[in-house]
Amino acid sequence: MNISQLETLLTISKTMSFRKAGELLNLTQPAVSAQIKSLEEEFNTILIDRNQPVTLTEHGQVFLDHAERMLSIVDDLKQRLSDLNDNPQGHIILGTTASIAVQVLPRVLSYFQNQYPLIKTTIHTMPSSQVMTSVDNGSVDIGITYLTEKNTNISSSILYYDTFELIVSPENPLSQYDFITMDQLQHVPMIMLAPDTLGRRFVDQICKDCNLTPNIIMELSSSEEVKRMVEINLGAAIVSKLAIEQERKLGTIKIIRVEELVATHPVGVVYKSGRYINSAMQQFLSDLKGMPEYQFMNAE
């Protein structure tokens, strides 16, 4: 039994004619007859009295009642699927760093949730090095992180480019400089991100390349915590430029240019390759990839 056979039986009941039913369904009369015969054989009963005018038998009427309900369910299913395309709904679990969650996601999600109020989002913050792993093992649906690691199971798309900057308090002795080299940081008290963050790995590599052993006085898990320590002048730090935009404008920290930190780092959206992408995820990914870079970098 298939949907086409049910639609054929319903049309015959309305037209009381195999020929007219065929015309409405764009089928030949033999094709209409074959569909009804197939139903009758499958259910071992006679559904239609083929005398003129064509009418349903008692069994055919019972069958039609159920067929109408099944077709109604199919129509409802089609409508619901169409509604998902027009009004995406569902639940998205996002994984990202605390800094990106604070600086980037509010601008992204405020627009997205105004446009698609039926989509619920849950945000899990974690070290940048854990975002890829969480996407790969399915604990989060979509991640936003630095794209410094390669994983064949993960699809990615670059959203914007970030840089890392040396920051100090305006009261710090280094604040008198606009530009220094890594060598000048040899004995400076440094507040570092935790070793399991990609930002920290980048800084560690720079220090290694410069034969510098930094004077680490504190390690913290997020840029937000690091900034607070720098603002009260406990030490200098190297963090994402995007993460310090607000503090820079307020004058609570100062950026000092360091030649060795000029490299740019792609930040992008990541999701598991080959997994089913529901309508909520499809819409979120589409909107995210369609945003121009300045919308991520603009901290207003």
Side-chain angles (χ1 to χ4, degrees):
M1 183 179 67
N2 57 50
I3 299 300
S4 178
Q5 291 171 322
L6 300 182
E7 291 174 338
T8 298
L9 181 66
L10 178 61
T11 306
I12 289 174
S13 72
K14 293 178 179 179
T15 62
M16 297 187 295
S17 166
F18 280 71
R19 179 183 60 80
K20 290 180 181 179
E23 291 174 353
L24 291 174
L25 297 170
N26 199 26
L27 296 172
T28 64
Q29 186 169 333
V32 172
S33 298
Q35 286 196 355
I36 298 303
K37 183 178 180 182
S38 176
L39 276 179
E40 292 177 328
E41 290 175 349
E42 182 176 353
F43 289 92
N44 192 30
T45 189
I46 301 299
L47 301 174
I48 292 181
D49 182 349
R50 287 160 172 80
N51 291 318
Q52 296 299 324
V54 172
T55 57
L56 298 183
T57 65
E58 182 179 359
H59 287 186
Q61 189 60 55
V62 172
F63 195 102
L64 179 65
D65 291 341
H66 287 76
E68 287 176 329
R69 276 183 274 169
M70 285 186 280
L71 289 172
S72 176
I73 291 172
V74 170
D75 286 341
D76 181 62
L77 173 60
K78 289 178 179 178
Q79 184 60 54
R80 286 178 179 269
L81 293 176
S82 177
D83 288 344
L84 282 177
N85 291 331
D86 296 336
N87 299 291
Q89 53 192 283
H91 185 202
I92 303 172
I93 301 176
L94 299 174
T96 191
T97 66
S99 180
I100 292 175
V102 170
Q103 301 296 331
V104 175
L105 285 186
R107 298 193 295 279
V108 173
L109 294 179
S110 62
Y111 163 79
F112 187 75
Q113 293 188 330
N114 283 337
Q115 295 294 113
Y116 307 102
L118 298 180
I119 296 178
K120 175 185 176 183
T121 54
T122 298
I123 301 170
H124 294 321
T125 59
M126 60 193 71
S128 50
S129 59
Q130 293 181 16
V131 176
M132 287 279 197
T133 301
S134 298
V135 170
D136 196 9
N137 65 28
S139 58
V140 302
D141 298 317
I142 296 173
I144 301 177
T145 187
Y146 291 96
L147 302 180
T148 56
E149 298 180 343
K150 299 293 184 182
N151 186 326
T152 57
N153 296 325
I154 301 296
S155 296
S156 64
S157 180
I158 295 174
L159 301 176
Y160 61 92
Y161 289 87
D162 196 8
T163 59
F164 287 93
E165 304 285 356
L166 176 69
I167 60 171
V168 297
S169 163
E171 285 74 43
N172 191 291
L174 284 179
S175 66
Q176 64 183 299
Y177 301 103
D178 293 322
F179 180 89
I180 65 172
T181 65
M182 288 294 292
D183 291 340
Q184 291 173 265
L185 295 177
Q186 181 68 56
H187 302 295
V188 173
M190 296 294 297
I191 302 168
M192 291 284 197
L193 288 166
D196 61 349
T197 62
L198 295 178
R200 171 63 180 276
R201 292 178 188 176
F202 168 69
V203 174
D204 285 348
Q205 185 61 51
I206 294 293
C207 291
K208 181 179 179 181
D209 294 342
C210 296
N211 295 316
L212 171 68
T213 301
N215 176 23
I216 302 174
I217 63 167
M218 191 179 302
E219 292 181 329
L220 298 167
S221 60
S222 75
S223 296
E224 299 305 306
E225 297 169 321
V226 169
K227 290 186 298 182
R228 300 292 83 82
M229 298 302 107
V230 171
E231 285 180 316
I232 61 175
N233 199 22
L234 292 184
I238 297 174
V239 296
S240 158
K241 181 178 181 179
L242 185 62
I244 56 177
E245 187 66 18
Q246 192 63 32
E247 289 78 8
R248 182 188 65 80
K249 290 181 177 180
L250 292 173
T252 59
I253 60 99
K254 179 182 177 181
I255 295 176
I256 302 174
R257 304 300 177 189
V258 180
E259 181 179 353
E260 291 86 351
L261 300 179
V262 295
T264 58
H265 304 269
V267 177
V269 58
V270 294
Y271 51 97
K272 186 73 174 283
S273 301
R275 68 163 288 174
Y276 170 69
I277 306 295
N278 63 31
S279 63
M281 288 178 61
Q282 287 177 359
Q283 191 62 57
F284 186 80
L285 287 170
S286 176
D287 283 17
L288 201 59
K289 293 176 183 179
M291 292 179 68
E293 183 174 350
Y294 74 84
Q295 287 191 247
F296 296 103
M297 304 303 293
N298 180 11
E300 293 300 335

